[in-house]
């Protein structure tokens, strides 16, 4: 079992131009206008927006690699202005791997004489989830069935492209 933190990384293509230059180049296809001056490109994009030709703006996009938990993934993927590629707990088999869980940032680390700390309780639950998952797999169940015992804290990797 591994406990890891959330992370976000912007994916940049080596040949990626600035979004303004990219949008301006695409808009020039519509208008057959020339020029590679940044101020002219900015002015062109402002005219596009002013004239309601905002479809061109959709060509400015950005891609991120996000490592988060399944709960956050469910919230994130509700937004329709993006495309997603998500690690599949349905097909990924964690039998021979440490299952990774995202450490919640909101757990209070205070100690109470009568109870374990919230983090210790969470950690114990993650250990049990991993044990149960691996037991299901060893009994011949598919990853799709075994994943039912995994919590929202299960790490998932998402590539998301926004325009």
């Amino acid at each position: 079992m591994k406990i890891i933190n959330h992370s976000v990384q912007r994916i940049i293509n080596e040949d990626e131009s600035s979004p303004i230059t990219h949008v301006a180049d695409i808009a020039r296809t519509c208008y057959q206008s020339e020029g590679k001056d940044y101020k002219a490109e900015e002015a062109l994009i402002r005219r596009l927006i002013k004239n309601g030709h905002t479809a061109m703006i959709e060509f400015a996009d950005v891609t991120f690699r996000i490592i988060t938990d399944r709960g956050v993934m469910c919230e994130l993927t509700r937004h329709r202005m993006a495309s997603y590629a998500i690690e599949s707990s349905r097909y990924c088999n964690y039998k021979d791997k440490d299952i990774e869980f995202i450490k919640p940032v909101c757990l209070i680390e205070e100690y109470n004489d009568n109870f374990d700390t919230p983090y210790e309780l969470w950690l114990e639950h993650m250990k049990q989830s991993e044990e149960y998952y691996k037991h299901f797999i060893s009994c011949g169940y598919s990853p799709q069935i075994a994943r039912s015992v995994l919590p929202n804290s299960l790490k998932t990797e998402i590539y998301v492209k926004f325009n």
Side-chain angles (χ1 to χ4, degrees):
M1 180 173 80
K2 275 184 167 173
I3 307 301
I4 61 175
N5 293 316
H6 297 268
S7 66
V8 177
Q9 170 190 12
R10 181 167 181 232
I11 306 301
I12 300 174
N13 298 327
E14 292 299 320
D15 61 347
E16 183 181 79
S17 60
S18 79
I20 294 208
T21 299
H22 187 67
V23 169
D25 286 345
I26 291 168
R28 286 189 189 98
T29 300
C30 296
Y31 299 105
Q32 290 299 304
S33 60
E34 296 298 323
K36 287 287 185 180
D37 175 306
Y38 186 79
K39 289 189 182 214
E41 292 170 347
E42 238 182 85
L44 171 60
I45 291 171
R46 289 184 193 283
R47 278 194 312 279
L48 291 171
I49 293 169
K50 181 180 176 189
N51 294 332
H53 194 183
T54 56
M56 296 296 98
I57 307 305
E58 293 175 16
F59 287 93
D61 56 28
V62 62
T63 301
F64 294 95
R65 176 179 178 244
I66 301 170
I67 305 239
T68 192
D69 63 43
R70 300 295 290 183
V72 170
M73 181 268 310
C74 289
E75 295 168 13
L76 177 65
T77 57
R78 292 179 47 93
H79 299 281
R80 301 282 301 155
M81 292 300 292
S83 297
Y84 305 95
I86 302 169
E87 177 180 345
S88 173
S89 63
R90 180 178 182 189
Y91 298 112
C92 293
N93 190 331
Y94 306 111
K95 173 180 75 169
D96 298 324
K97 301 176 186 172
D98 283 334
I99 296 179
E100 295 179 315
F101 300 99
I102 299 292
K103 180 182 177 184
V105 294
C106 61
L107 286 180
I108 301 168
E109 302 270 353
E110 295 176 10
Y111 181 77
N112 182 319
D113 289 334
N114 299 322
F115 301 101
D116 292 331
T117 67
Y119 180 76
E120 290 170 331
L121 292 171
W122 173 84
L123 191 59
E124 183 59 32
H125 181 64
M126 298 309 103
K127 288 176 186 173
Q128 287 178 350
S129 296
E130 182 178 50
E131 288 174 20
Y132 295 154
Y133 175 89
K134 290 186 177 190
H135 178 73
F136 273 66
I137 293 293
S138 71
C139 289
Y141 288 98
S142 68
Q144 180 176 352
I145 300 298
R147 72 180 177 167
S148 66
V149 298
L150 296 173
N152 273 343
S153 293
L154 177 68
K155 170 250 168 195
T156 192
E157 186 171 340
I158 306 167
Y159 280 86
V160 58
K161 182 175 183 173
F162 296 94
N163 65 27

